[in-house]
């Protein structure tokens, strides 16, 4: 049976084949779509000229379904319908003067019209122009050759972005830029900026699976976790799931969900899915339980206390796990494999790259108390060595590949610093590391592994991204993606302690409490915000409250209101850092948080691990969190550094 449609509708035959009917014409005398007029027929290579195009015998009604329009194979910048058969299309940039084909393609119906050499570009190009991407599709980490003209042979003068994410540049010439798809990139336009002059956009598809949610995102060893996303494989064995690098068994899967269990030996960190060699984005997972935690393990002794790398040693203590892989042991910062375990003893092998240093143990994310050290008597291994940076200049949040030797495939065994500022490590191997440039200054890049640090390699920090706003706080300048910033201020009881002397915003040397210092610096920061910015303030102890229900414009009236509210802050109660930052992150349009605290969190979540997870799980918009520690040390300082590092923020010490 055949069902016929009228003009412009689909014909569905018995075999399910779709065809197009045009005004009751038979297949033999059907009219073909054609471009009747193009006006004007020429324009400048810079693009931006409106061109009116009339198309006849087209099935689509342009006022209902806008077509796609291309000039010389490049899509129009904007398209507006005038009538059912007439559109105004803005010309894109062209790489050279001369005639180009004009194509109009239907979006509701699969048909098109072309006029060969229908439009002529005039003038001489003086701007960067992309002609092709090779390849035009690939996962994060793919090398891409950006082909075109008017690029700079000096790599640091070119900025390549994949859908807004800056990419590292390996090499460049006037007609080619070799780059790498950066971490966090999604499908969208690729463009090049040369000394502030932008190019045209060319689409790139970031292939591979994508994670959108973990449920739950906070669980213990063996607990079931459902991963939600896209482009997974319906065949469970085709999906490779890792919890911070540790493989997890997949029990069931569809194209959008994966059922798995928290593997033994994993620790708090990112979860990824790999399908057919393509690796997904990272989504944070927290190991532990939101209920009352089990006892904290303790360290008592180490036998023997010295020996060569590769030797077997026994750690005596309490509250270890009887499952060896559930005990995370590190020696001088390097992961050491546990070969046997009981609640009171652990047998581990000293890592081959270990050097003399402290021994630490964590069980289910709980750090053991006590202090042990192991002395390595064998010759030390070679230190890490950097051979090259790709690239050797850039701004904050750029991705940079580091090549060298004696690195480590486990990112947790490494620490990368840019002029002393720790950088977030996206991935690592024995000879390469992918990092994100932190807020830093021009200086040396170093890699540290197991207490050994490489020689520094120069890196030029080019300052905040061009055109991005900034905020000043505690003597540092921070770029603001967007126009919003939220301050989160610890007002727990210890903020009443005396800080010491400092110079206040009026230029006077005064002695005050920690809270008085923060109040002074906070008022100064807000007063300096430009009128185009928006801001809000949260104060917290075990509970938290905010100056406003949303980020408000930084006008004179709001600045005055905020100053009054700030001066009314009082110090009392515990420290609920996680819930406070989580509350601040509920405004999804905000992308910058400035967190100030003077003590380890002690309410609202279980330990520093619990507070870390509360914050990172709430950060759906990938906001940058800059942290400030007042007289911070030990695990508290590590907590603030970890929050900053995992959100591409920076940590600042506040000391007298």
């Amino acid at each position: 049976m055949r069902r016929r449609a009228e003009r412009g509708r689909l014909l569905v035959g018995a075999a399910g084949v779709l065809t197009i009917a045009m005004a009751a014409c038979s297949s033999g005398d059907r009219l073909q779509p054609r471009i009747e007029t193009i006006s004007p027929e020429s324009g400048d290579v810079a693009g931006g000229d409106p061109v009116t195009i009339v198309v006849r015998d087209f099935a689509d009604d342009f006022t209902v379904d806008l077509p796609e329009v291309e000039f010389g194979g490049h899509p129009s910048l904007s398209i507006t319908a005038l009538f059912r058969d007439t559109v105004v299309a803005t010309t894109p940039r062209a790489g050279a003067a001369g005639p180009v084909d004009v194509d109009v393609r239907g979006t509701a119906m699969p048909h098109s019209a072309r006029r060969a050499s229908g439009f002529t570009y005039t003038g001489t190009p003086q701007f960067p122009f992309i002609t092709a991407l090779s390849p035009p599709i690939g996962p994060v980490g793919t090398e891409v050759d950006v082909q075109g003209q008017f690029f700079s042979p000096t790599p640091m003068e070119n900025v390549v972005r994949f859908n807004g994410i800056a990419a590292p540049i390996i090499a460049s010439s006037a007609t080619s830029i070799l780059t790498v798809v950066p971490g966090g990139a999604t499908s969208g336009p690729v463009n090049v900026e040369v000394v502030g002059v932008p190019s045209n956009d060319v689409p790139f598809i970031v292939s591979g699976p994508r994670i959108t949610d973990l449920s739950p995102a906070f669980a213990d060893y063996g607990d079931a976790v459902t991963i939600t996303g896209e482009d997974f494989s319906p065949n469970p064995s085709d999906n490779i799931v890792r919890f911070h690098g540790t493989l997890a068994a997949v029990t069931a899967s569809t194209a959008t969900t994966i059922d798995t269990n928290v593997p033994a030996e994993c620790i708090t960190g990112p979860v990824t899915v790999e399908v057919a060699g393509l690796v997904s984005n990272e989504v944070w997972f927290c190991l532990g339980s939101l209920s009352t935690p089990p006892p904290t393990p303790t360290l008592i002794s180490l036998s023997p206390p010295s020996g060569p790398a590769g030797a077997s040693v026994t750690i005596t203590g309490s509250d270890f796990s009887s499952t060896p892989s559930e005990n995370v042991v590190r020696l001088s910062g390097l992961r050491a494999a546990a070969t046997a375990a009981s609640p009171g003893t652990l047998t581990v092998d000293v890592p081959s790259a270990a050097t003399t240093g402290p021994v630490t143990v964590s069980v289910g994310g709980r750090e053991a108390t006590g202090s042990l050290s192991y002395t390595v008597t064998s010759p030390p291994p070679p230190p890490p060595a950097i051979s090259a940076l790709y690239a050797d200049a850039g701004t904050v949040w750029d991705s940079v590949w580091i090549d060298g030797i004696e690195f480590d495939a486990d990112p947790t065994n490494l620490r990368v610093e840019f002029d002393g500022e720790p950088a977030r490590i996206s991935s690592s191997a024995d000879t390469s590391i992918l990092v994100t440039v932190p807020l830093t200054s021009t200086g040396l890049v170093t890699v540290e592994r197991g207490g050994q640090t490489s020689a520094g390699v120069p890196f030029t920090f080019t300052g905040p991204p061009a055109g991005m706003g900034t905020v000043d706080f505690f003597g540092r300048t921070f770029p603001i993606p967007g126009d919003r910033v939220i301050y989160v201020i610890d007002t727990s009881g210890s903020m009443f302690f005396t800080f010491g002397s400092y110079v206040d915003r009026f230029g006077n040397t005064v002695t005050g409490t920690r809270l008085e210092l923060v109040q002074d610096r906070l008022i100064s920061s807000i007063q300096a915000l430009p009128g185009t910015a928006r801001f809000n303030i949260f104060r917290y102890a075990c509970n938290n409250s905010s100056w406003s229900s949303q980020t408000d414009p930084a006008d004179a009236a709001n600045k005055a209101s905020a100053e009054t509210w700030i001066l009314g802050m009082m110090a009392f109660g515990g420290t609920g850092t996680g819930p406070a930052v989580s509350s601040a992150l509920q405004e999804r349009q905000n992308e910058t948080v400035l967190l100030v605290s003077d003590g380890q969190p002690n309410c609202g979540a279980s330990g520093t691990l619990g507070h870390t997870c509360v914050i990172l799980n709430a950060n759906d918009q990938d906001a940058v969190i800059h942290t400030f520690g007042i007289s911070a040390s030990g695990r508290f300082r590590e907590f603030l550094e970890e929050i900053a590092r995992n959100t591409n923020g920076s940590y600042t010490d506040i000391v007298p």
Side-chain angles (χ1 to χ4, degrees):
M1 176 176 180
R2 171 167 282 191
R3 178 169 59 85
R4 292 195 175 273
E6 301 196 7
R7 176 185 175 97
R9 295 183 182 175
L10 297 178
L11 293 179
V12 184
V17 178
L18 301 182
T19 60
I20 299 174
M22 299 295 296
C25 296
S26 69
S27 61
D29 59 4
R30 182 179 304 148
L31 298 176
Q32 294 298 315
R34 59 189 172 85
I35 297 176
E36 183 173 86
T37 61
I38 298 173
S39 179
E41 294 183 340
S42 64
D44 194 270
V45 290
D49 293 325
V51 176
T52 302
I53 304 173
V54 179
V55 185
R56 299 303 187 194
D57 302 313
F58 216 74
D60 288 2
D61 180 345
F62 294 161
T63 63
V64 177
D65 298 297
L66 275 176
E68 298 174 347
V69 180
E70 291 184 351
F71 292 78
H74 295 283
S76 171
L77 300 176
S78 67
I79 304 170
T80 304
L82 292 184
F83 307 105
R84 62 166 289 113
D85 60 358
T86 306
V87 293
V88 177
T90 303
T91 58
R93 285 180 172 177
V100 297
D101 297 342
V102 177
D103 292 279
V104 179
R105 294 188 178 88
T107 54
M109 298 288 185
H111 53 276
S112 62
R114 164 176 288 190
R115 175 177 285 189
S117 301
F119 187 85
T120 300
Y121 279 103
T122 60
T124 303
Q126 295 295 332
F127 43 78
F129 186 84
I130 302 174
T131 57
L133 302 176
S134 180
I137 180 172
V140 169
T142 300
E143 285 193 0
V144 176
D145 183 11
V146 182
Q147 300 164 8
Q149 60 187 21
F150 296 106
F151 302 149
S152 173
T154 303
M156 65 180 294
E157 292 183 350
N158 304 287
V159 178
V160 179
R161 291 187 173 89
F162 285 71
N163 205 12
I165 304 297
I169 295 175
I170 300 174
S172 68
S173 69
T175 58
S176 174
I177 299 175
L178 185 60
T179 184
V180 175
V181 181
T186 55
S187 297
V190 171
N191 51 54
V192 176
E193 185 178 302
V194 182
V195 196
V197 179
S199 74
N200 57 317
D201 291 338
V202 175
F204 184 88
I205 298 174
V206 178
S207 57
R210 179 173 176 268
I211 301 174
T212 58
D213 186 53
L214 301 178
S215 181
F218 199 132
D220 279 322
Y221 295 119
D223 286 353
V225 173
T226 297
I227 304 172
T228 303
E230 56 191 38
D231 293 327
F232 302 150
S233 173
N235 183 0
S237 62
D238 290 340
N239 302 285
I240 301 174
V241 177
R242 292 184 174 89
F243 284 68
H244 207 337
T246 302
L247 288 172
V250 176
T251 56
S253 67
T254 68
T256 57
T257 62
I258 294 175
D259 292 332
T260 185
N261 295 89
V262 181
E265 199 173 335
C266 85
I267 60 175
T268 291
V271 172
T272 60
V273 175
E274 180 181 336
V275 181
L278 304 179
V279 181
S280 73
N281 58 312
E282 298 178 345
V283 174
W284 196 266
F285 169 80
C286 303
L287 181 67
S289 172
L290 290 175
S291 58
T292 302
T296 299
T298 59
L299 303 178
I300 298 175
S301 64
L302 184 67
S303 179
S306 63
S312 178
V313 298
T314 299
I315 302 171
T316 302
S318 64
D319 295 307
F320 301 146
S321 171
S322 296
T323 302
S325 61
E326 293 182 358
N327 303 279
V328 179
V329 182
R330 293 187 180 276
L331 197 159
S332 65
L334 298 179
R335 187 76 176 265
T339 57
S342 71
T345 61
L346 296 174
T347 301
V348 300
D349 292 332
V350 178
S352 59
T355 57
T356 297
V359 176
T360 64
V361 176
S362 66
V363 181
R366 300 177 300 279
E367 293 287 343
T369 60
S371 177
L372 298 177
S373 180
Y374 183 80
T375 301
V376 177
T377 57
S378 56
I386 300 174
S387 59
L389 300 180
Y390 303 103
D392 57 4
T395 186
V396 63
W397 308 316
D398 283 354
S399 295
V400 173
W401 282 99
I402 303 173
D403 281 358
I405 58 174
E406 302 296 337
F407 299 156
D408 200 291
D410 184 349
T412 65
N413 284 341
L414 302 170
R415 180 182 177 92
V416 177
E417 292 187 353
F418 284 68
D419 196 39
E421 188 73 37
R424 181 181 182 181
I425 301 175
S426 300
S427 62
S428 67
D430 291 340
T431 58
S432 65
I433 306 171
L434 178 61
V435 298
T436 302
V437 177
L439 184 63
T440 184
S441 55
T442 295
L444 299 179
V445 175
T446 58
V447 175
E448 185 267 333
R449 182 212 60 203
Q452 293 184 297
T453 303
S454 71
V457 174
F459 181 85
T460 301
F461 186 70
T462 57
M468 187 175 291
T470 59
V471 57
D472 295 328
F473 198 40
F474 277 98
R476 299 188 67 181
T477 299
F478 302 92
I480 307 176
D483 60 353
R484 301 165 192 258
V485 59
I486 293 180
Y487 303 85
V488 181
I489 308 301
D490 181 351
T491 57
S492 61
S494 56
M495 289 291 284
F496 189 69
F497 294 171
T498 298
F499 175 80
S501 63
Y502 58 91
V503 178
D504 66 14
R505 63 187 183 281
F506 304 110
N508 301 317
T509 300
V510 298
T511 298
T513 65
R514 296 174 176 177
L515 181 57
E516 288 171 337
L517 168 69
V518 174
Q519 288 171 317
D520 180 83
R521 299 298 190 258
L522 180 56
I523 291 172
S524 295
S525 179
I526 291 172
Q527 290 296 335
L529 289 174
T532 54
R534 302 177 69 90
F535 73 99
N536 199 3
I537 316 159
F538 281 74
R539 60 186 178 194
Y540 72 93
C542 281
N543 297 312
N544 64 80
S545 60
S546 61
W547 164 68
S548 176
S549 60
Q550 60 186 10
T551 52
D552 286 332
D555 56 32
N558 283 332
K559 289 179 179 180
S561 170
E563 180 172 344
T564 300
W565 191 82
I566 292 167
L567 293 175
M569 290 179 175
M570 297 182 64
F572 64 91
T575 308
T577 306
V581 178
S582 176
S583 295
L585 290 170
Q586 296 312 302
E587 180 161 343
R588 300 304 185 193
Q589 291 178 296
N590 179 62
E591 297 179 357
T592 305
V593 173
L594 304 177
L595 167 65
V596 183
S597 181
D598 78 330
Q600 193 156 311
N602 55 24
C603 56
S606 177
T608 55
L609 174 64
H611 284 264
T612 299
C613 292
V614 167
I615 292 170
L616 297 179
N617 286 337
N619 194 15
D620 291 338
Q621 67 268 47
D622 292 327
V624 177
I625 304 176
H626 301 290
T627 59
F628 304 78
I630 301 177
S631 301
S633 62
R635 185 67 188 98
F636 168 51
R637 190 179 194 274
E638 293 173 2
F639 162 70
L640 293 179
E641 286 182 325
E642 184 176 21
I643 294 298
R645 185 169 59 253
N646 283 293
T647 60
N648 289 322
S650 63
Y651 169 76
T652 302
D653 270 321
I654 303 174
V655 294

